[in-house]
Amino acid sequence: MIPSGYRARSVISVTVENLRKTYGQAVAVDGVTMEAPKGGLTFLLGPSGCGKTTILRMIAGFLEPSAGVIRFGDRDITNVSAEKRDCGMVFQSYALWPHMTVAQNVAFGLEVRKVPTAELRKRVGEALEMVRMHAYADRKPNQLSGGQQQRVALARAIVYRPDVLLLDEPLSNLDAKLRLEMRGEIRRIVDDLRVTAIYVTHDQKESLSLADKMVVLREGRIEQVGGPREMYERPCNRFVAEFLGETNFLDATLDGSATHTPRVVKTRAGMLETTTGGDQPASANLVASVRPESLRMHPQNQIAADRPALRGVVAETTYLGEVAQHRVDCNGVNIKVFELNPRHLSRRGEPVALTVDADQVVLLER
């Protein structure tokens, strides 16, 4: 059920321009410019200390920027107090009052705003219906599971009917099964409400499975912005490639003219082909990034000697049920390969050839 107050509301974007935050000589956020599009789910991700939570807190109004501008739609809210920004916030720790019922927790902010009783009850009911917690309205937080408490925290954030929903690592305290369940719930709620949401995480799987737009940060600066598939398959540098998932990095040189594709990639582990070389000159010193799941493993004698491939011997196999992770020694270079639905517990000692589609060999600057 979509709360009636959301049906006629306009949807806004969130823009930050040259946003900066310093603490003395330490720079936490260094000139970040980005936009969270209307009604979409934008992820800020990166390692601990990269500035993502600091950006979120400046957008919420909990921290004052050292420089820069924050806009909700066309409205400059840089110097507007937090309670006047129309933001709903979901915290990592849930932050529920233990002595209050679920309904009382959700209603608390509306009571502070002196919303009339009839309207308050209506909004609380709608918010609990949205997160499928209406049946638990009279329970206390300590009578709920972690996933249920997170749903209540979501209800409390959306009961205001905010223009912007901010989520600060909301699933980090949940176990793996609940995280998967809540990912789907968050995506559903954002889509149903058509609210502009910004989500902070260091979990690559969360961002790849949920995001409309991803912003990867390092040391207070943006490394790359894009959609999940674009970011995963076409990272702009080694940092982004490695942060978003496991990959093999191979020192490489290019052969052939930029006018001919695919181009040959020479590595110590063997030769491959790529369509991502662009206008890089022949003999350019680069790094080839090849994801483990993109590699196909064949018995070595089934691949012709003149066909581009990495050839070696399986040095180690880790069987994980739905996937086996292999380490293949290719001329002294360790190559990681993921085999889906493996038919053997181990391939150790097996001579193999590894092939990969040319568009999955991504060339990066060293």
Side-chain angles (χ1 to χ4, degrees), residues 166-226:
L166 306 176
L167 304 106
D168 188 6
E169 301 202 46
L171 308 184
S172 60
N173 290 331
L174 304 181
D175 62 36
K177 184 178 179 181
L178 279 175
R179 279 201 301 273
L180 284 173
E181 178 185 318
M182 285 304 299
R183 283 179 199 171
E185 288 298 286
I186 289 171
R187 180 75 261 183
R188 176 184 63 83
I189 288 166
V190 170
D191 288 344
D192 285 353
L193 297 181
R194 294 189 66 240
V195 65
T196 301
I198 303 175
Y199 190 124
V200 159
T201 187
H202 61 270
D203 188 314
Q204 300 92 329
K205 299 300 184 189
E206 272 180 36
S207 56
L208 289 169
S209 62
L210 289 178
D212 296 307
K213 182 176 184 178
M214 294 165 57
V215 181
V216 175
L217 296 142
R218 176 169 60 163
E219 297 178 354
R221 297 181 180 179
I222 292 176
E223 289 289 314
Q224 189 172 355
V225 178

Side-chain angles (χ1 to χ4, degrees), residues 20-76:
R20 184 176 173 86
K21 182 63 181 177
T22 59
Y23 298 95
Q25 297 300 311
V27 180
V29 177
D30 190 7
V32 166
T33 296
M34 53 160 273
E35 180 184 19
K38 297 177 180 180
L41 186 49
T42 298
F43 270 70
L44 307 181
L45 67 155
S48 296
C50 71
K52 55 189 184 294
T53 295
T54 303
I55 293 171
L56 197 77
R57 289 182 165 272
M58 286 191 282
I59 292 171
F62 300 153
L63 287 176
E64 183 180 348
S66 303
V69 176
I70 304 170
R71 290 190 177 88
F72 286 3
D74 295 329
R75 180 185 172 211
D76 184 342

Side-chain angles (χ1 to χ4, degrees), residues 275-339:
T275 57
T276 72
D279 57 359
Q280 291 283 357
S283 302
N285 291 319
L286 302 165
V287 171
S289 171
V290 184
R291 299 286 185 191
E293 70 275 11
S294 69
L295 288 160
R296 295 183 294 275
M297 194 157 53
H298 315 267
Q300 198 170 108
N301 59 10
Q302 290 185 5
I303 301 298
D306 60 349
R307 180 176 171 185
L310 308 180
R311 292 171 172 82
V313 176
V314 178
E316 183 180 307
T317 294
T318 303
Y319 178 75
L320 299 173
E322 78 279 8
V323 67
Q325 297 182 354
H326 304 290
R327 181 171 61 84
V328 180
D329 183 347
C330 297
N331 193 30
V333 179
N334 287 320
I335 304 296
K336 183 172 282 190
V337 183
F338 293 166
E339 180 187 8

Side-chain angles (χ1 to χ4, degrees), residues 90-328:
V90 181
F91 298 94
Q92 180 178 345
S93 61
Y94 314 143
L96 302 176
W97 297 101
H99 62 285
M100 293 182 179
T101 66
V102 165
Q104 289 168 339
N105 266 283
V106 175
F108 181 75
L110 297 179
E111 290 175 346
V112 171
R113 288 168 169 78
K114 301 189 185 304
V115 173
T117 301
E119 177 68 12
L120 180 147
R121 288 176 179 167
K122 177 186 174 186
R123 289 200 194 184
V124 169
E126 288 176 341
L128 290 175
E129 286 283 359
M130 274 295 298
V131 299
R132 300 171 180 167
M133 287 295 292
H134 194 269
Y136 299 86
D138 296 326
R139 293 196 186 182
K140 298 287 182 65
N142 63 6
Q143 296 174 298
L144 305 176
S145 69
Q148 289 170 333
Q149 289 184 55
Q150 191 56 276
R151 289 171 188 266
V152 176
L154 269 169
R156 185 183 54 195
I158 65 175
V159 76
Y160 304 117
R161 299 170 182 168
D163 289 330
V164 179
L165 180 62
L166 306 176
L167 304 106
D168 188 6
E169 301 202 46
L171 308 184
S172 60
N173 290 331
L174 304 181
D175 62 36
K177 184 178 179 181
L178 279 175
R179 279 201 301 273
L180 284 173
E181 178 185 318
M182 285 304 299
R183 283 179 199 171
E185 288 298 286
I186 289 171
R187 180 75 261 183
R188 176 184 63 83
I189 288 166
V190 170
D191 288 344
D192 285 353
L193 297 181
R194 294 189 66 240
V195 65
T196 301
I198 303 175
Y199 190 124
V200 159
T201 187
H202 61 270
D203 188 314
Q204 300 92 329
K205 299 300 184 189
E206 272 180 36
S207 56
L208 289 169
S209 62
L210 289 178
D212 296 307
K213 182 176 184 178
M214 294 165 57
V215 181
V216 175
L217 296 142
R218 176 169 60 163
E219 297 178 354
R221 297 181 180 179
I222 292 176
E223 289 289 314
Q224 189 172 355
V225 178
R229 185 163 187 168
E230 169 196 353
M231 299 277 280
Y232 187 78
E233 295 189 357
R234 293 292 181 269
C236 68
N237 57 34
R238 289 185 64 144
F239 174 82
V240 175
E242 194 165 26
F243 185 78
L244 291 183
E246 295 194 64
T247 192
N248 297 290
F249 289 121
L250 301 169
D251 289 343
T253 56
L254 266 176
D255 255 8
S257 165
T259 59
H260 295 89
T261 58
R263 300 176 72 183
V264 172
V265 180
K266 294 181 177 179
T267 79
R268 206 176 98 196
M271 286 201 304
L272 298 172
E273 290 182 325
T274 186
T275 57
T276 72
D279 57 359
Q280 291 283 357
S283 302
N285 291 319
L286 302 165
V287 171
S289 171
V290 184
R291 299 286 185 191
E293 70 275 11
S294 69
L295 288 160
R296 295 183 294 275
M297 194 157 53
H298 315 267
Q300 198 170 108
N301 59 10
Q302 290 185 5
I303 301 298
D306 60 349
R307 180 176 171 185
L310 308 180
R311 292 171 172 82
V313 176
V314 178
E316 183 180 307
T317 294
T318 303
Y319 178 75
L320 299 173
E322 78 279 8
V323 67
Q325 297 182 354
H326 304 290
R327 181 171 61 84
V328 180

